[in-house]
Amino acid sequence: MAAALSWTGAFLGLHLLFLLVVVLGCYRRERGRGVMRVAVTTTALLMTSIACLAQTVPEAPTTLRVSAKVVAVSAVVKAKDGTALTSLTKDDFTLKQDGKEQPIRYFSRGDDLPLNIVLMVDVSRSQRTLIGDEAIASDVFLRTMMRRPQDQAAFVQFDAEVTELQGMTSDPNRMHLIISALGMRKETAGATLLHDGVFAVTDRLLSKVHGRKAVILLTDGVDVGSRHSLKEAIEEAQRENVQVYSIFYSAWSGFSAPTGVPLPSTDGRETLKRFSERTGGRAFEVSPSLGLQAIFTRIAEDLSTQYELDYTPPPDTVAGRMHKLEVRAKHKGAIVQARDAFYAEP
């Protein structure tokens, strides 16, 4: 920068000297008004040169931290007794990024936005006996949720492969036909790609749509053979503001195993709990007192009472990193379900 200014000063000095020579020469030859005319012309040329130089002097480099993209956060708010709070306004919320409160720019209720759902069903060997019950409950749920032309759903089954049986559609009849064929494909033994499935569904289906986004997981929560870790799958869902609602369902859900028969690992429950808590969804377990149909009813209530809060990340947000999010409602005793992090795009 200093070198550029020195060069500019030298160049301007030469122009001034040239102007002085021209003016003196013209004064000797013409005297009077001609001198003024030539001087003005030369001065105009000089000022034009100065303006050009000002435009070509390089500016000091600036460091871009993150673009001013708006971040959307979906949230469900409930009272202590579990009742949804549906009449809140923007002023009833506080939103923090990395511990610092941020102004909420846009605010809307769930029904103002399209709803995009992907239903993911585990069809691995451990789940085969449950598929009939899952198909019936899933069909009723999707017919309930796909009420408007802008609401869409997709259906994916997974075992050792992640298979998209139906891409995003707003036609509940298409979903009905697909669900009726659930699990008919020959089982691919040896793996259950739960993490890879959530990652792929988020990246390939839900990243391409706008509005509210949710994944409904029906599984025992056990992953075998995924290339992506649980952490990576959760972060991918957080990146796209996808709420994961998980349903733990196994042959032993809510029952005690006979004497001498080992129970399945509880790791699956913990996996599903982490998926849901980190993304703003909820984790459920099928039991004699809480059937699959009742769980789907509760998920439908959540998705129907969402809020969306949009804000612009502050200038010091570092691109290419996850940042902590915290959403609270000012209503006394309110419980907020929302994702706890977002990824700042480079």
Side-chain angles (χ1 to χ4, degrees):
M1 186 68 180
L5 289 174
S6 299
W7 180 84
T8 302
F11 189 81
L12 290 175
L14 289 174
H15 270 68
L16 290 171
L17 180 60
F18 172 75
L19 175 61
L20 181 59
V21 171
V22 170
V23 171
L24 289 174
C26 292
Y27 178 77
R28 291 194 186 99
R29 288 195 309 268
E30 300 184 32
R31 302 178 186 264
R33 290 188 304 172
V35 175
M36 182 60 70
R37 185 168 54 250
V38 174
V40 169
T41 302
T42 310
T43 301
L45 291 172
L46 175 59
M47 295 307 294
T48 301
S49 300
I50 293 172
C52 292
L53 283 169
Q55 293 176 0
T56 58
V57 174
E59 296 181 0
T62 57
T63 302
L64 181 62
R65 303 291 284 183
V66 71
S67 61
K69 291 182 179 178
V70 173
V71 175
V73 184
S74 296
V76 176
V77 187
K78 295 184 177 179
K80 285 183 178 180
D81 62 359
T83 305
L85 300 176
T86 58
S87 58
L88 301 181
T89 67
K90 181 175 73 171
D91 295 334
D92 293 316
F93 289 89
T94 60
L95 188 153
K96 293 181 179 180
Q97 177 187 305
D98 299 325
K100 298 179 182 178
E101 187 169 345
Q102 305 298 326
I104 298 169
R105 291 187 59 188
Y106 305 108
F107 176 85
S108 60
R109 291 180 174 82
D111 279 346
D112 297 333
L113 300 169
L115 176 61
N116 304 281
I117 301 172
V118 178
L119 193 57
M120 292 183 60
V121 178
D122 183 348
V123 294
S124 62
R125 184 171 300 169
S126 64
Q127 299 295 101
R128 286 268 159 175
T129 59
L130 309 174
I131 288 176
D133 188 25
E134 293 172 341
I136 294 171
S138 299
D139 191 27
V140 173
F141 169 73
L142 290 175
R143 284 185 176 276
T144 301
M145 300 308 298
M146 298 174 70
R147 298 169 295 136
R148 308 173 303 176
Q150 63 266 40
D151 297 331
Q152 300 184 94
F155 203 91
V156 172
Q157 68 179 32
F158 64 98
D159 48 12
E161 296 177 357
V162 179
T163 307
E164 180 184 306
L165 299 180
Q166 174 62 55
M168 283 295 182
T169 178
S170 57
D171 185 354
N173 293 322
R174 288 182 62 87
M175 295 299 295
H176 173 73
L177 292 174
I178 291 299
I179 290 172
S180 63
L182 178 63
M184 292 183 64
R185 182 176 61 82
K186 184 178 179 182
E187 177 190 1
T188 309
T192 307
L193 305 183
L194 171 59
H195 304 164
D196 283 357
V198 174
F199 192 100
V201 160
T202 303
D203 179 53
R204 298 175 191 172
L205 293 175
L206 292 173
S207 66
K208 297 176 172 61
V209 297
H210 301 283
R212 296 171 291 150
K213 308 174 188 181
V215 166
I216 316 295
L217 275 176
L218 265 166
T219 176
D220 61 7
V222 177
D223 182 276
V224 180
S226 281
R227 293 184 299 107
H228 293 99
S229 66
L230 173 60
K231 179 175 181 290
E232 290 171 332
I234 289 173
E235 288 182 352
E236 184 65 15
Q238 290 174 329
R239 188 191 311 260
E240 298 298 336
N241 192 30
V242 174
Q243 292 178 294
V244 178
Y245 283 84
S246 56
I247 304 173
F248 179 87
Y249 198 13
S250 78
W252 298 111
S253 290
F255 296 95
S256 299
T259 304
V261 177
L263 281 170
S265 169
T266 59
D267 291 346
R269 289 184 180 87
E270 192 58 35
T271 293
L272 298 181
K273 183 179 178 182
R274 288 181 62 189
F275 259 127
S276 296
E277 288 183 348
R278 297 292 310 279
T279 62
R282 292 171 71 191
F284 297 90
E285 180 174 353
V286 177
S287 68
S289 61
L290 186 63
L292 191 53
Q293 291 276 17
I295 290 173
F296 271 127
T297 299
R298 294 188 183 186
I299 294 174
E301 290 171 353
D302 270 17
L303 295 176
S304 300
T305 57
Q306 287 175 314
Y307 297 94
E308 183 168 299
L309 319 173
D310 295 358
Y311 79 101
T312 301
D316 61 352
T317 302
V318 179
R321 281 179 47 186
M322 298 297 294
H323 292 268
K324 183 177 175 58
L325 288 176
E326 183 181 357
V327 180
R328 290 187 179 181
K330 297 175 184 177
H331 190 281
K332 185 177 180 180
I335 301 168
V336 178
Q337 294 169 210
R339 59 173 169 151
D340 62 9
F342 92 99
Y343 180 82
E345 296 291 346

